[in-house]
Amino acid sequence: MTTRTQDPAAEPSAHRDAFVDWLQRMGDNCLILGHRASEWCGHSPALEEDIALANQALDLIGQCQFWLGLAAEVEGKGRTADQIAYLRDAGAFRNALLVERPNVDFGQTLMRQFLFDAWHMEILRKLKSSSDPRVAEIAAKAEKEVAYHLERSADLVIRLGDGSAESRARMEKALKALFPYTGELFTDDAVDQAMAAAGIAPLPSSLKAGWDSTVSAVLEEATLAHPGEVWQHKGGKRGVHSEHLGYILAEMQFLQRAYPGAVW
Amino acid sequence: MYAQLVQSEGGKSRAEMTPREIAFQERIDRGEKIEPKEWMPEGYRKTLIRQMGQHAHSEIVGQLPEGNWITRAPTLERKAILLAKVQDEAGHGLYLYSAAETLGVSRDELMEMLHSGKMKYSSIFNYPTLTWADMGAVGWLVDGAAIMNQVPLQRTSYGPYSRAMIRICKEESFHQRQGYDIMMKMCAGTPEQKAMAQDALNRFWYPSLMMFGPSDKDSVHSAQSMAWKIKMNTNDELRQKFVDQTVPQAKYLGLTVPDENLRWNEEKGGHDFSEPDWAEFFEVIAGNGPCNAERLGARVKAWDDGAWFRDGLMAHAGKQEERRAALRLAAE
Amino acid sequence: MSSEWPLWEIFIRGQHGLNHRHVGSLHAPDAEMAIRNARDVYTRRNEGVSIWAVKSNDIVASSPSEKGPLFEPSNSKVYRHPTFFDIPDEVGHM
């Protein structure tokens, strides 16, 4: 990725802080979901799925490197994407709660992926016309990868929903467990307002209609009942996470924490 | 190797062979490839299924020791590289299972035989990966040893096996390099990192030598497999080649190979070195290695937990087929 | 075991406009998934721009025992190969 270097001092600091925060939301979503997907490597129900899921994890780790790399650049404090990923504690992570939900079984993993992919596709489409060319460039590259993720996860949700009695029951359970973690993807806060005002990113609430129509269509084909309006958890994007994130980070950051400053 | 102690069937002298068997052997001697539906001695078919099955099982069980560190990789780039590598191993397992399937055994049947313990996988994957340096050692030594065996197997007599090996060798060229690259970084790093690298070499050296299987003088099945070009080199040849190749690489890293008897032998043009502990090897093969239970347990769990998923997708495919048939009927 | 995913043969056309080439096999519940699995399994290194999937059972193959009658007759048609004809060097490239 070639990025245009901008003088960080030229950006007003409030705007810069919001921008860095927002970039971490994008990057952390990819990082944590990629981590969860990579947990399946060697343990999937079929070799073909093992390979496909690893491809997705690789895409997400790659996207995370771009977003956190840009966050580091905009921040202008000389940090790298790796330092942002490996040296923040949970409270500084900005991913949505949805992506840190545990894998549980392949059904929950696929449902989580689908609900996220549908949102991811909506936002990347809009980000392609971001006022910041660096954001637009990352989004254009990621969109192609995510289009495939969504095609795959949507299709598997349909097949398993409209599959055997057991696969249907598992997908129903997965939907019920995960749907209450989707609302957070569409709430607007001060960071989002600032990004929208600068034309960098769309307001999350503006993505809801598109997401709804994708999700409704897929659930219908999967013969799964839409959960409707249910209580929604939130907190991830402002750093209030579930207990799960701490364990993810304890694992992910272990070497960087145990051997500070070592080069790997 | 990935296929150790593969029992070979047959072993007939020329006088005992039928004319058909002689003609078959002559084709192999001429360097012709044997293809799936052609006539072949039952022993050839059975030995191949055993060897390719074991090879395939080794690839997918081999995902586990390295998969162990994907979520703990120290940088984003290392994480991606390791994940890509372990994913390749799943692919290689898939290619080999497919090649074995051309001999009239299904992948699910092969899986069942792995899970029930009827078929084995390489002893090396029953050793634990305890530090990040083990990712380096596994890539450098284990993949190094595997490549040494797989390169000649590209010329094996069975067409589908040969073609799978060609694809695998092409893809695997980066695996050993990434391992050595990790070792170089560790050895150029802090004293703690260097110590970790030495420790990894200490633990993986002898298990890597075991990968080639017991000495040829104890290996009763080698001759028939070599005549059939299912096995291309003797165990001792490959082990010697591996040691000779690896010693200078260890030296470059500034690491010590854990063998007091290791020295260059001018006369034979190779290194003298100590034999691994073969008693340990046979215990590991018999299921008593440090990680046998975990490795096989993980494979069985993945398979059992995934049954509903595989069945669910088949159920959907069946429903779709019925729907299409009903539509065709309605259109008529 | 009864519900084993069927086996598919995968053919891929690479970047350079050559014919689809057999690259290997895989398992998938149906054709659509065979194509997707092939994308994930056989194009990890940017190998292709088009995928064909055929159920292995649907492949009709020539019989190995007829190898002689099928293929040997063409051995004697040496005039079909350009090297059969000697063209003098002075004529230049042809």
Side-chain angles (χ1 to χ4, degrees), chain A residues 35 41-43 45 48-51 55 58 82 86 107 159 162-163 170 251-252 255-256 259 263-264, chain B residues 60 63 71-76 78 80 86-87 107 193 196 299 302 306 308-310 313 316 319 323:
Chain A
H35 181 103
C41 187
H43 305 274
E48 288 80 2
E49 286 303 319
D50 211 74
I51 292 167
N55 273 342
L58 284 169
D82 275 340
Y86 285 90
R159 285 165 181 268
D162 183 23
R170 282 183 187 256
E251 208 172 315
M252 186 174 91
L255 281 168
Q256 290 285 355
Y259 303 94
V263 177
W264 305 92
Chain B
I60 63 164
Q63 288 184 269
T71 54
R72 289 181 287 173
T75 69
L76 295 169
R78 286 286 178 208
V86 179
Q87 181 201 36
R107 185 166 92 189
Q193 285 177 298
M196 246 187 257
R299 285 310 316 165
W308 72 268
F309 171 84
R310 296 188 301 274
L313 292 185
H316 178 82
K319 281 185 186 175
R323 284 169 195 153

Side-chain angles (χ1 to χ4, degrees), chain A residues 13-35:
Chain A
S13 74
H15 169 75
R16 187 169 67 225
D17 291 349
F19 195 9
V20 170
D21 207 73
W22 180 83
L23 286 165
Q24 290 179 70
R25 290 177 182 181
M26 293 303 292
D28 291 345
N29 278 333
C30 297
L31 177 59
I32 302 303
L33 189 60
H35 181 103

Side-chain angles (χ1 to χ4, degrees), chain B residues 197-265:
Chain B
Q198 180 64 55
D199 170 61
L201 173 58
N202 292 349
R203 282 181 291 107
F204 276 96
W205 175 254
Y206 287 108
S208 300
L209 295 187
M210 290 177 197
M211 286 176 69
F212 299 95
S215 176
D216 298 314
K217 53 185 190 295
D218 308 320
S219 190
V220 285
H221 309 292
S222 282
Q224 178 60 69
S225 285
M226 288 183 77
W228 278 334
K229 292 191 188 161
I230 290 174
K231 190 177 162 83
M232 306 302 286
N233 305 83
T234 70
N235 297 346
D236 289 330
E237 269 168 26
L238 289 173
R239 189 168 15 248
Q240 181 70 50
K241 205 171 156 201
F242 174 75
V243 171
D244 292 340
Q245 177 190 286
T246 308
V247 168
Q249 294 167 350
K251 197 173 162 201
Y252 179 84
L253 293 171
L255 298 178
T256 310
V257 173
D259 180 0
E260 288 176 359
N261 300 317
L262 183 80
R263 58 184 55 86
W264 178 255
N265 180 334

Side-chain angles (χ1 to χ4, degrees), chain B residues 27 32-33 37-38 87-88 91-92 94-95 98 101 106-109 112 167 171 174-175 309-311 313-314 316-317, chain C residues 1-7 21-30 33 40-45 47 59 61 64 67:
Chain B
R27 287 188 60 200
E32 282 182 31
K33 293 273 181 264
K37 301 218 164 118
E38 297 175 347
Q87 181 201 36
D88 272 352
H92 298 169
L94 193 156
Y95 307 158
S98 305
E101 282 179 272
S106 78
R107 185 166 92 189
D108 284 10
E109 282 165 354
E112 298 284 348
R167 194 176 182 92
E171 294 187 354
F174 96 86
H175 291 185
F309 171 84
R310 296 188 301 274
D311 293 346
L313 292 185
M314 279 308 278
H316 178 82
Chain C
M1 192 79 93
S2 59
S3 63
E4 179 159 4
W5 292 356
L7 191 64
R21 205 173 72 104
H22 183 240
V23 292
S25 343
L26 50 74
H27 288 268
D30 64 15
M33 280 199 70
D40 280 310
V41 172
Y42 287 107
T43 67
R44 299 201 301 287
R45 286 171 171 78
E47 291 99 332
I59 300 257
K67 217 151 121 186

